[in-house]
Amino acid sequence: MFVSYLILTLLHVQTAVLARPGGESIGCDDYLGSDKVVDKCGVCGGDNTGCQVVSGVFKHALTSLGYHRVVEIPQGATKINITEMHKSNNYLALRSRSGRSIINGNWAIDRPGKYEGGGTMFTYKRPNEISSTAGESFLAEGPTNEILDVYMIHQQPNPGVHYEYVIMGTNAISPQVPPHRRPGEPFNGQLGTDGRSQEEGEEKEETEEKEDVHGGAPEVFTSESAQTFPVRHPDGFSSHRPDNVVPAGPQPPRRSRDHNWKQLGTTECSTSCGKGSRFPIFRCVHRNTHEEVPESYCDSSMKPTPEEEPCNLFPCPAFWDIGEWSECSKTCGLGMQHRQVLCRQVYANRSLTVQPFRCRHLEKPETTSTCQLKICSEWQIRTDWTSCSVPCGVGQRTRDVKCVSNIGDVVDDEECNMKLRPNDIENCDMGPCAKSWFLTEWSERCSAECGAGVRTRSVVCMTNHISSLPLEGCGNNRPAEATPCDNGPCTGKVEWFAGSWSQCSIECGSGTQQREVICVRKNADTFEVLDPYECSFLERPPSQQACHLKPCGAKWFNTEWSMCSKSCQGGFRVREVRCLSDDMTLSNLCDPQLKPEEKESCNPQDCVPEVDENCKDRYYNCNVVVQARLCVYNYYKTACCASCTRGASRHAGFLGSR
């Protein structure tokens, strides 16, 4: 009856639309000619005041690698959009507040696709085109049924992450059912037997699945290939019941008690492995012969309700889940591309990431492959060799070599393989030329300031382009390049003498080296050490220089200790300690075990009052005055000054220790 009513209603609406010349549309309230639309809060005819749009940009500069929280998505959020502002080598990750990873958890990067979590379906996108500059994104319609946390797996500078979601406000208007719609009638989808929509049933199912997960099941990463959950109704049955279930309705009169309901087998298991479900099949049989008879012989009200039973609990065979190929490593010619291959196993309608050894019965697909986006440009020789640059001897010649694309255009040389570039210049030999020796003048200065030395000149064999004499070559009579010289005996010459450098003062970083520099007089066979002022007219060699063996890396630096907080009876003093790198910037690479103390105790000695020469005891029994507490009177305080002062100091120290 309900189906017939629905068909008649639809036909009536369609006829009404066709009958109107203007072709009036149906609003979100299902009234013909209504102009009501659903606002961003999901309210039919709403004015966008029933909800609040939360948005922002996560721009924090991150320093350490790993997971960093970006934003919290509250329970009940809808229209969720988490998007990187620019492509990067970072990854977005999603985790429930209970600790269950939904996308990219436990340092395992999932491939793009749809993932269930928090009561909704998230679409994970990762643009893979070379020309694309778009970053990763999470999109979900919501609403969420628990708090979710968005993380960034930081590997390079953060380009910024834009987040946006909608939450219902305090003045939210609940979606209204049109007055003409009867209870239980479908509204934008099918309803279950209890009047709830299929989406609500799936939400409940997901919640129950999550409770199972929290009870100790492994973390679940649901892939696109994972099966959908069956709708679970309030009476505990699956929506897929056996065909032999008798619907409620008028029953024939009960004839006798010779027949009863008996289980005759079960339905087929919903899955061949990985935990499916089945239902018992009840038939009407004769009580004595157990012969099956028509169901009208039995009382339908006494027929047992089929209870769902688990079946095929053993896990399905593991399989290799193959991700998408990465970008090609080269824009032209042969390059390499990579993809992620994970071992997964389906259990309880969920795809789990498992250890690779579970897929050892299968050949693992390749994770790397060669790729070629286009044919690279190639080198072309445009001209022949030019004439040699010299008329005789060895010269050079050139030719024009260009990098040409696969469509014939001249492009930059970087577009072609530089290792395969043809030579555009080479030597050429035009035969021997007339040659002769070319000489410079002798040097004016002797190599030794005293004693025997030499003077030099340059000698080179070159082509004689000036003379037309037919010389056959320079020959073996090479002119001398050095000639002896003598500036007289070296007796009595004064000069600085420098020794060898010492080792560097430190093992790493910047240090210094020392060496001995003395003033000596050089005789024929000996040296005489003189006072430094004897060589003061000469430039003194340096006796110290900087040295740097290797970088020290990060080290602990500290300031001087502060003043002690107390001058006696135990105080403390502090200092600041920082880890600095070689360039004196803050670092976190220092060994924590070697960190100097930042606080220490000081001045533990007892406080001793200053001795006043005029403060003395005039009587030998002043201790009695102190015991009798008479020091409060001026007479006794003066007569027994030393004893009263010591007593007052001890009393003050006792009170301070309390």
Side-chain angles (χ1 to χ4, degrees), residues 40-225:
K40 66 183 180 182
C41 303
V43 179
C44 180
D47 59 355
N48 296 325
T49 61
C51 64
Q52 178 184 359
V53 179
V54 180
S55 63
V57 178
F58 178 78
K59 289 186 177 180
H60 293 284
L62 307 176
T63 56
S64 59
L65 300 178
Y67 287 80
H68 295 267
R69 195 170 79 156
V70 175
V71 68
E72 172 188 294
I73 302 176
Q75 182 177 351
T78 60
K79 306 294 183 184
I80 302 168
N81 185 341
I82 312 295
T83 304
E84 265 192 312
M85 300 182 69
H86 198 275
K87 178 189 284 187
S88 70
N89 289 332
N90 302 325
Y91 294 94
L92 298 177
L94 187 64
R95 188 175 73 171
S96 68
R97 182 54 59 89
S98 60
R100 185 176 74 88
S101 295
I102 300 172
I103 302 175
N104 293 343
N106 301 322
W107 292 101
I109 305 303
D110 295 305
R111 60 188 178 91
K114 296 184 180 296
Y115 295 84
E116 291 178 299
T120 184
M121 181 70 72
F122 282 87
T123 300
Y124 176 34
K125 296 182 179 180
R126 184 192 306 143
N128 202 30
E129 299 81 5
I130 292 179
S131 60
S132 174
T133 60
E136 295 192 344
S137 64
F138 294 158
L139 303 176
E141 282 296 318
T144 57
N145 61 8
E146 64 175 323
I147 299 175
L148 302 177
D149 289 318
V150 178
Y151 288 82
M152 170 184 284
I153 307 178
H154 175 246
Q155 299 187 100
Q156 72 173 56
N158 174 23
V161 178
H162 177 266
Y163 57 87
E164 181 176 307
Y165 55 85
V166 176
I167 57 176
M168 300 303 292
T170 55
N171 58 342
I173 304 174
S174 301
Q176 299 176 355
V177 178
H180 65 280
R181 180 177 290 110
R182 297 177 302 185
E185 188 174 344
F187 177 68
N188 293 335
Q190 298 296 325
L191 294 181
T193 58
D194 60 347
R196 296 182 305 161
S197 67
Q198 182 176 358
E199 288 81 358
E200 292 174 357
E202 288 175 344
E203 259 187 19
K204 178 180 179 183
E205 174 65 20
E206 172 128 3
T207 303
E208 294 173 356
E209 289 292 341
K210 286 182 178 298
E211 290 173 356
D212 293 341
V213 171
H214 300 334
E219 274 196 324
V220 176
F221 301 87
T222 307
S223 68
E224 283 182 302
S225 61

Side-chain angles (χ1 to χ4, degrees), residues 203-449:
E203 259 187 19
K204 178 180 179 183
E205 174 65 20
E206 172 128 3
T207 303
E208 294 173 356
E209 289 292 341
K210 286 182 178 298
E211 290 173 356
D212 293 341
V213 171
H214 300 334
E219 274 196 324
V220 176
F221 301 87
T222 307
S223 68
E224 283 182 302
S225 61
Q227 302 176 11
T228 58
F229 298 121
V231 178
R232 180 174 297 176
H233 298 283
D235 55 4
F237 299 160
S238 168
S239 61
H240 307 290
R241 295 193 179 183
D243 298 333
N244 63 328
V245 178
V246 178
Q251 299 295 326
R254 183 175 175 185
R255 296 184 178 180
S256 67
R257 296 189 178 182
D258 294 336
H259 304 87
N260 62 350
W261 296 102
K262 180 180 180 181
Q263 180 179 348
L264 296 179
T266 60
T267 62
E268 291 186 4
C269 192
S270 60
T271 59
S272 60
C273 59
K275 189 182 180 182
S277 60
R278 64 186 179 187
F279 295 87
I281 299 176
F282 295 99
R283 301 294 189 191
C284 183
V285 299
H286 193 279
R287 187 180 299 275
N288 297 326
T289 63
H290 300 287
E291 181 181 357
E292 185 175 351
V293 297
E295 293 190 354
S296 59
Y297 282 68
C298 293
D299 187 353
S300 60
S301 63
M302 300 298 293
K303 184 176 182 179
T305 302
E307 295 288 344
E308 182 181 7
E309 302 174 355
C311 55
N312 293 342
L313 300 180
F314 54 89
C316 294
F319 63 94
W320 292 111
D321 186 22
I322 303 173
E324 297 180 1
W325 287 110
S326 66
E327 298 179 2
C328 194
S329 61
K330 293 186 178 181
T331 56
C332 70
L334 287 179
M336 295 294 295
Q337 58 183 171
H338 307 269
R339 65 181 177 184
Q340 188 179 46
V341 177
L342 299 175
C343 184
R344 292 184 180 269
Q345 205 165 10
V346 176
Y347 187 77
N349 288 334
R350 290 183 178 272
S351 179
L352 313 177
T353 301
V354 296
Q355 295 295 330
F357 75 86
R358 295 183 182 272
C359 294
R360 60 180 178 271
H361 62 286
L362 300 173
E363 183 179 358
K364 184 175 182 180
E366 295 294 334
T367 58
T368 59
S369 174
T370 58
C371 54
Q372 181 171 337
L373 299 180
K374 65 177 181 179
I375 300 175
C376 288
S377 304
E378 61 180 2
W379 296 107
Q380 284 189 4
I381 301 174
R382 293 296 185 95
T383 62
D384 294 330
W385 289 109
T386 62
S387 301
C388 197
S389 60
V390 295
C392 63
V394 177
Q396 289 184 330
R397 61 179 184 174
T398 60
R399 62 182 177 183
D400 192 17
V401 177
K402 297 293 184 181
C403 179
V404 181
S405 67
N406 56 349
I407 60 175
D409 295 335
V410 177
V411 294
D412 293 337
D413 286 357
E414 289 75 12
E415 293 289 332
C416 293
N417 189 344
M418 297 300 293
K419 295 181 179 179
L420 302 179
R421 189 180 194 278
N423 291 331
D424 59 355
I425 185 171
E426 70 176 8
N427 293 334
C428 51
D429 190 351
M430 301 301 291
C433 297
K435 296 180 180 180
S436 60
W437 292 109
F438 284 75
L439 314 172
T440 64
E441 296 293 334
W442 291 108
S443 61
E444 296 181 359
R445 187 173 181 178
C446 190
S447 62
E449 295 183 3

Side-chain angles (χ1 to χ4, degrees), residues 503-576:
Q503 292 185 350
C504 196
S505 59
I506 57 176
E507 295 182 355
C508 64
S510 298
T512 57
Q513 289 178 292
Q514 311 290 335
R515 68 176 178 181
E516 188 90 20
V517 178
I518 58 176
C519 179
V520 298
R521 176 183 288 116
K522 183 178 179 182
N523 298 319
D525 298 323
T526 61
F527 290 92
E528 179 184 358
V529 179
L530 304 176
D531 290 332
Y533 75 87
E534 297 286 348
C535 298
S536 59
F537 63 95
L538 299 174
E539 182 180 2
R540 181 187 177 108
S543 59
Q544 177 177 303
Q545 70 176 5
C547 56
H548 188 88
L549 297 180
K550 62 180 180 180
C552 290
K555 293 195 305 183
W556 291 109
F557 286 76
N558 56 265
T559 62
E560 297 289 340
W561 286 109
S562 66
M563 294 292 294
C564 193
S565 61
K566 297 174 65 177
S567 60
C568 58
Q569 287 188 336
F572 66 90
R573 58 181 183 175
V574 295
R575 63 181 175 183
E576 189 174 359

